[in-house]
């Protein structure tokens, strides 16, 4: 199978498994897992921040940060299609007592001017603003990148209102590799951020949160509260350390493969995808009059898995478990299905 449903489907490579097997471990709830400690220290240093914390998932990373940064009964401004509102089972409301004020962006990206127009007055009895939250890169926005200029403007706006700029950087390293913006620059513009080890970086597990020591200390309490206090977690932290050491630069290959797919489809089926919008590893394809789920099912019969994200929308995500040839083959097969007469 050529599995392009998500970059979460990767399996640990043999050297990553060896690093996991050889990891030194201890009880992390006691703060005694040396491999988790090393990962957290390396990541904090990498982003030029005081502290970092390992979490089981991207969702728990986001929730520990938002719950720490925002009082119950306050609101977080984010883009209308943000992961935190689209896919997290209402976690912000259910667990942290937050409401989200969503603002339409372009390809999932927020823009300071639009956000500014949407902010409620900072006075009683308006719901208090607690944070502005961005996704870098955007998931439902097709892997689009905010970049530093937009983020600086959003940070200035957030700070004018006395609240932090929070970054859900599930795919932050895709943005880092695509733009050359450094982790330190992202660490300086985002007051608190998370990124996933288990997506393009290819680890089987885990995310990191990064920020001020005080924030990370409180995020640790939230991780515990959410059931994410872990024991001999070094086995998994070792995979994250391996991924950061060996799987960052290669994200450029995933981006090239995504563009290759987009260009092939745009050539064969003008209008199905705009390759200039494919900045990282996610390709959204319009199926035109074809039913997306039926096309996905037909492709699965050919050995290619893609995601049906809407009635006429497919998503393909490139990652380290698919080769250049796999991507070319997937694009050819998808193109052939989309050129068939509509059933
Ligand atoms: C932008 C974004 N944030 C958060 C997450 C959640 O990550 P996890 O599945 O590890 O909880 C995802 C997962 O796809 C994501 O795309």
């Amino acid at each position: 199978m050529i599995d392009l449903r998500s970059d979460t489907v990767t399996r640990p490579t043999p050297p990553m498994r060896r690093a996991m097997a050889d990891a030194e471990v201890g009880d992390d709830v006691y703060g005694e897992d040396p491999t988790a400690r090393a990962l957290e220290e390396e990541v904090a240093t990498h982003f030029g921040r005081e502290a970092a914390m390992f979490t089981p998932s991207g969702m728990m990373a986001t929730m520990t940060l938002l719950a720490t940064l925002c009082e119950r009964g306050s609101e977080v401004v984010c883009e209308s299609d943000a992961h935190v509102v689209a896919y997290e089972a209402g976690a912000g409301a259910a667990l942290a007592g937050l409401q989200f004020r969503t603002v339409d962006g372009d390809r999932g990206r927020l823009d300071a001017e639009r956000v500014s127009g949407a902010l409620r007055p900072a006075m009683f009895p308006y719901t208090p603003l607690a944070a502005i939250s961005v996704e870098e890169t955007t998931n439902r926005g097709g892997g689009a990148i905010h970049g530093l200029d937009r983020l600086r403007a959003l940070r200035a706006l957030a700070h004018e209102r006395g609240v932090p700029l929070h970054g859900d950087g599930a795919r932050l390293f895709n943005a880092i590799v695509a733009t050359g913006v450094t982790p330190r620059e992202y660490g300086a513009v985002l007051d608190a951020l998370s990124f996933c080890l288990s997506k393009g970086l290819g680890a089987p597990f885990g995310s990191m949160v990064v920020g001020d020591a005080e924030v990370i200390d409180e995020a640790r309490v939230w991780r515990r509260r959410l059931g994410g206090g872990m024991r001999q977690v070094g086995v998994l932290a070792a995979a994250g350390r391996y991924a950061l050491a060996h799987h960052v630069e290669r994200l450029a290959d995933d981006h090239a493969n995504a563009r290759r797919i987009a260009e092939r489809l745009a050539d064969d089926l003008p209008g199905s995808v705009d390759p200039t919008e494919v900045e990282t590893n996610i390709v959204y394809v319009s199926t035109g009059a074809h039913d997306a789920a039926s096309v996905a099912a037909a492709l699965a019969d050919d050995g290619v898995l893609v995601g049906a994200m809407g009635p006429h929308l497919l998503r393909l995500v490139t990652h380290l478990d698919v080769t250049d040839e796999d991507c070319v083959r997937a694009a050819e097969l998808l193109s052939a299905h989309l050129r068939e007469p509509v059933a």
Side-chain angles (χ1 to χ4, degrees):
M1 279 290 180
I2 300 171
D3 193 345
L4 294 166
R5 289 171 301 165
S6 175
D7 48 9
T8 55
V9 301
T10 58
R11 296 186 177 90
T13 60
M16 181 183 276
R17 284 178 187 267
R18 279 197 292 280
M20 295 169 76
D22 293 345
E24 274 188 60
V25 297
D27 188 329
D28 191 48
V29 174
Y30 287 101
E32 290 173 2
D33 188 289
T35 310
R37 283 294 78 72
L39 172 64
E40 291 175 344
E41 279 164 23
E42 278 162 16
V43 166
T45 305
H46 207 48
F47 281 87
R49 298 300 298 267
E50 289 174 351
M53 176 182 75
F54 190 36
T55 64
S57 67
M59 271 186 64
M60 195 185 285
T62 300
M63 215 35 59
T64 57
L65 279 182
L66 291 183
T68 296
L69 297 170
C70 309
E71 281 201 18
R72 293 182 77 78
S74 60
E75 73 183 1
V76 175
V77 167
C78 66
E79 210 275 337
S80 307
D81 250 350
H83 195 277
V84 76
V85 286
Y87 290 122
E88 301 197 3
L95 304 173
L98 298 175
Q99 74 180 32
F100 292 95
R101 179 150 173 90
T102 56
V103 177
D104 288 344
D106 65 292
R107 294 192 286 133
R109 299 177 301 181
L110 286 181
D111 161 82
E113 208 173 311
R114 251 196 239 178
V115 171
S116 169
L119 292 183
R120 302 181 208 279
M123 58 189 278
F124 180 82
Y126 289 99
T127 303
L129 176 67
I132 298 176
S133 178
V134 293
E135 223 168 271
E136 185 80 324
T137 67
T138 64
N139 176 334
R140 289 187 64 89
I145 299 170
H146 284 79
L148 277 185
D149 289 347
R150 265 186 201 246
L151 293 180
R152 284 185 180 132
L154 286 161
R155 176 186 171 91
L157 178 63
H159 287 197
E160 255 171 49
R161 291 291 300 260
V163 300
L165 180 64
H166 162 261
D168 170 357
R171 297 182 179 80
L172 187 57
F173 277 89
N174 293 86
I176 286 167
V177 167
T179 58
V181 172
T182 63
R184 273 183 178 264
E185 288 171 304
Y186 273 114
V189 75
L190 296 166
D191 292 297
L193 67 97
S194 59
F195 69 88
C196 293
L197 296 159
S198 58
K199 299 203 165 61
L201 293 175
F205 176 98
S207 287
M208 303 300 300
V209 299
V210 186
D212 293 343
E214 205 183 336
V215 167
I216 300 303
D217 282 349
E218 182 60 20
R220 264 184 219 286
V221 176
W222 268 100
R223 183 183 69 175
R224 176 75 177 160
R225 190 171 283 141
L226 296 172
M230 299 170 283
R231 302 295 178 175
Q232 284 70 29
V233 73
V235 172
L236 298 161
R241 290 185 78 195
Y242 183 91
L244 286 169
H246 299 281
H247 290 171
V248 173
E249 280 80 22
R250 63 148 310 283
L251 290 170
D253 301 340
D254 298 343
H255 302 167
N257 277 335
R259 266 194 306 279
R260 203 166 274 137
I261 292 172
E263 279 162 9
R264 173 65 193 258
L265 291 167
D267 280 350
D268 290 359
L269 299 142
S272 60
V273 53
D274 179 352
T276 64
E277 291 190 346
V278 177
E279 296 179 73
T280 54
N281 68 331
I282 301 178
V283 187
Y284 275 92
V285 181
S286 163
T287 58
H290 291 268
D291 171 57
S294 308
V295 175
L299 267 177
D301 289 341
D302 295 337
V304 177
L305 299 178
V306 300
M309 308 302 282
H312 302 286
L313 193 63
L314 295 175
R315 188 182 77 171
L316 287 73
V317 187
T318 55
H319 53 76
L320 93 170
D321 279 5
V322 290
T323 62
D324 307 9
E325 294 75 34
D326 289 340
C327 292
V328 170
R329 171 128 183 91
E332 278 169 7
L333 288 166
L334 175 53
S335 169
H337 283 295
L338 292 178
R339 280 182 282 121
E340 283 165 9
V342 177

